[in-house]
Amino acid sequence: MIESVSQKIHDLTRKKNFFAFKVIRKTLGKILCSPLMGWLIGVIYKNKIKNGNCIIDTQCATVKNSTKARLFWGVYETAEIDFVKRYLNPEYDVIELGSSLGVLASHVSKIIYPTQKNICVEANPVLLTCLNKNLEFNSINKNFEIINAAIDYKNVEFVEFSISENSLDSHVGFNSKSKQVISVPAITLSQIIERHKINDYTLICDIEGAEMAIFENDGLALNNCKQLHIEMQENEVVDNKIIKIEEVVELLLHQFNFKIRDSFLGAYVFDKI
């Protein structure tokens, strides 16, 4: 049953059946992805949950039971994972910004060649142990490195980072509703490329609109970016500015010479022309 549900979801993604996908995801969210279901799944599988051909360790205080259920039923980062499996070029190094638990990074590690690097950048220190465990378990050749930092271009050494009780809600910047606000190291894409001697690479972004800082301040760092996987949500607010998806797409197409390879519900794959 588990495999058939996950396969159905991925089939809908490939066929771009937006309406059916949304209906099924909403239904699963209410029934199969409830906190009670996630708790039960966590108990049965001892918080080591299968997601495709990866096993994801979810033993972390900020990983909610609903997230465990979404992983189990294959509705966690569905389009992003599907695009990585279908389009990721194994010949390039990978830089992922916003690695979180390492779900997508774990799938990446099974695709890229042993000679290629898998650089995972995650600002939330609470997730680092889980991220490392998942990469250690799922990486065939252990060709990964974790960087605890946040992308920032304000010429500062550290930035504020708000830690939420839900791992999916933590983000750069101050938030009075967050469980804790800490300082994390700041880093730029150019610094990552220079420090790790990256040549041609794929960039994967899921950093809640903060990628706009790269496009506005670090365009040269995209010269050797051969493929871009990015997840965007409409009307993200970054530095008091509303980010619109169509504006980001236009920027990538006309200023940075990318073309759209595929897209689905805010997840995009771009190839360099």
Side-chain angles (χ1 to χ4, degrees):
M1 178 185 175
I2 298 166
E3 295 296 337
S4 63
V5 171
S6 298
Q7 188 59 50
K8 181 64 175 176
I9 292 165
H10 282 283
D11 287 345
L12 291 172
T13 306
R14 292 189 179 96
K15 293 175 182 177
K16 297 193 176 182
N17 192 327
F18 300 102
F19 178 75
F21 182 87
K22 287 182 176 180
V23 169
I24 287 180
R25 187 169 64 175
K26 185 175 182 180
T27 302
L28 287 173
K30 289 182 176 179
I31 303 173
L32 297 180
C33 295
S34 67
L36 178 59
M37 176 65 77
W39 173 81
L40 184 60
I41 289 169
V43 170
I44 293 173
Y45 292 94
K46 298 180 179 179
N47 289 310
K48 293 178 173 59
I49 298 170
K50 184 177 180 182
N51 182 263
N53 60 345
C54 296
I55 300 295
I56 305 301
D57 191 315
T58 60
Q59 188 64 49
C60 178
T62 60
V63 177
K64 294 300 183 182
N65 288 325
S66 56
T67 300
K68 297 176 186 180
R70 289 174 62 197
L71 279 165
F72 183 76
W73 295 111
V75 292
Y76 181 92
E77 296 184 343
T78 311
E80 293 92 326
I81 293 170
D82 184 61
F83 285 168
V84 159
K85 288 183 175 181
R86 294 168 65 187
Y87 302 124
L88 187 69
N89 190 323
E91 298 178 352
Y92 300 146
D93 292 330
V94 174
I95 300 173
E96 183 185 19
L97 308 178
S99 295
S100 190
L101 297 176
V103 178
L104 197 60
S106 293
H107 288 282
V108 166
S109 70
K110 292 182 179 296
I111 296 171
I112 60 175
Y113 292 152
T115 52
Q116 306 312 125
K117 301 168 186 174
N118 188 10
I119 309 297
C120 302
V121 183
E122 175 51 48
N124 190 346
V126 176
L127 299 176
L128 296 183
T129 298
C130 218
L131 172 58
N132 186 71
K133 283 181 181 179
N134 288 324
L135 287 168
E136 279 284 350
F137 186 82
N138 292 293
S139 296
I140 299 172
N141 298 285
K142 314 301 180 194
N143 54 342
F144 66 88
E145 184 159 348
I146 297 171
I147 301 173
N148 179 211
I151 293 293
D152 192 85
Y153 289 88
K154 299 185 183 68
N155 296 316
V156 294
E157 189 175 353
F158 294 93
V159 297
E160 285 186 333
F161 187 83
S162 298
I163 298 177
S164 170
E165 293 184 353
N166 187 334
S167 62
L168 303 179
D169 295 334
S170 299
H171 58 83
V172 172
F174 177 79
N175 187 334
S176 59
K177 296 181 180 180
S178 295
K179 179 180 179 182
Q180 184 182 9
V181 179
I182 63 172
S183 293
V184 299
I187 198 167
T188 68
L189 181 58
S190 287
Q191 288 171 339
I192 296 169
I193 291 170
E194 182 180 357
R195 292 176 189 178
H196 296 274
K197 298 178 172 57
I198 303 294
N199 293 309
D200 292 343
Y201 71 99
T202 295
L203 179 63
I204 299 176
C205 286
D206 186 0
I207 49 176
E208 312 302 326
E211 63 277 348
M212 276 300 293
I214 297 173
F215 306 149
E216 294 174 345
N217 300 283
D218 206 1
L220 290 177
L222 296 174
N223 284 351
N224 288 341
C225 179
K226 302 301 181 182
Q227 191 174 82
L228 171 62
H229 293 240
I230 184 169
E231 190 276 333
M232 297 181 282
Q233 296 183 27
E234 193 62 86
N235 297 325
E236 287 279 7
V237 178
V238 179
D239 292 333
N240 298 316
K241 183 170 66 176
I242 297 175
I243 308 297
K244 293 187 176 295
I245 292 177
E246 62 268 21
E247 293 176 357
V248 178
V249 171
E250 286 296 311
L251 185 67
L252 292 170
L253 295 179
H254 300 297
Q255 184 169 329
F256 296 109
N257 297 318
F258 285 101
K259 63 179 180 180
I260 298 176
R261 180 79 171 270
D262 208 342
S263 66
F264 186 77
L265 293 179
Y268 284 78
V269 179
F270 296 87
D271 288 325
K272 183 63 68 71
I273 297 176

